[in-house]
Amino acid sequence: MHVRPEGPEDVDTIRSLTTAAFRDVPYSSQTEAAIVDALRDAGALALSLVAVKDGEIVGHVAFSPITINSEATNWYGLGPVSVWPDQQRKGIGQALISAGLSRLRGMHAQGCVVLGEPAYYGRFGFVSDPELWYSDVPPAYFQRLSFAEITPKGEVTYHPGFGAT
Ligand SMILES: CC(C)(COP(=O)(O)OP(=O)(O)OC[C@H]1O[C@@H](n2cnc3c(N)ncnc32)[C@H](O)[C@@H]1OP(=O)(O)O)[C@@H](O)C(=O)NCCC(=O)NCCS
């Protein structure tokens, strides 16, 4: 398996994959595929990576810029991240996220946030931080990973593409 940036030919597969991955997720808004499209259309897919196994796309991860206290900060939001249901729990998500975080560092990003299962994202170094919050999400479920010495404090806002339906 290898991880590479998306190409124009991957767009339809990414949409199907994202829809399938989130179909049975209880907390899903079922808008994740539309969010990825909206981010791409807005030029806000800072990073969009696909995992490829035996020539087929098996997973996808998106990263987009966030603001902190309404200011651009060179921080990014991880997600949506998707693996085909029959391919989950084989390390594909982990490979995608690790590759994405490594590329973000290479882009001189200052940090990354994620909304999701603390047990899963903790393995990448994400920690909860009550001083960097998102909406009314409990701190345990909104985590951050700083690439720099100083972590900003304040309220995180995702790109407007996350409002896509
Ligand atoms: C979440 C997702 C991207 C993870 O990708 P994956 O390829 O299945 O996961 P990996 O194989 O890399 O990681 C597996 C490990 O993470 C754990 N894990 C996977 N999903 C988890 C979850 N939701 N909560 C806690 N642990 C989880 C597994 O137990 C496994 O642990 P182990 O390595 O100790 O056995 C994938 O399951 C998926 O597409 N899920 C549906 C969509 C979704 O929920 N996306 C994330 C929303 S923020």
Side-chain angles (χ1 to χ4, degrees), residues 7-148:
E9 69 284 4
D10 303 325
V11 169
D12 289 346
T13 305
I14 291 170
R15 190 177 303 122
S16 304
L17 159 65
T18 306
T19 303
F22 282 91
R23 186 167 288 135
D24 296 326
V25 174
Y27 54 79
S28 163
S29 57
Q30 302 296 318
T31 59
E32 290 82 2
I35 289 169
V36 175
D37 284 338
L39 291 172
R40 185 183 298 105
D41 290 348
L45 264 185
L47 206 48
S48 179
L49 302 177
V50 291
V52 180
K53 197 160 107 185
D54 300 330
E56 303 286 338
I57 290 179
V58 289
H60 172 257
V61 65
F63 293 84
S64 56
I66 59 163
T67 62
I68 301 174
N69 297 328
S70 304
E71 287 178 26
T73 51
N74 208 11
W75 275 64
Y76 294 83
L78 188 173
V81 52
S82 305
V83 174
W84 289 109
D86 65 353
Q87 297 282 331
Q88 290 177 7
R89 308 219 157 193
K90 295 180 180 175
I92 297 166
Q94 196 157 329
L96 278 165
I97 293 167
S98 297
L101 293 173
S102 161
R103 281 174 183 255
L104 276 189
R105 287 179 192 270
M107 291 158 57
H108 305 295
Q110 297 294 296
C112 185
V113 296
V114 70
L115 181 60
E117 282 295 327
Y120 185 62
Y121 295 102
R123 69 183 60 200
F124 304 100
F126 284 92
V127 293
S128 83
D129 177 356
E131 294 190 310
L132 187 65
W133 74 91
Y134 171 61
S135 187
D136 55 359
V137 173
Y141 289 91
F142 184 72
Q143 297 184 290
R144 55 95 170 150
L145 176 58
S146 289
F147 301 148

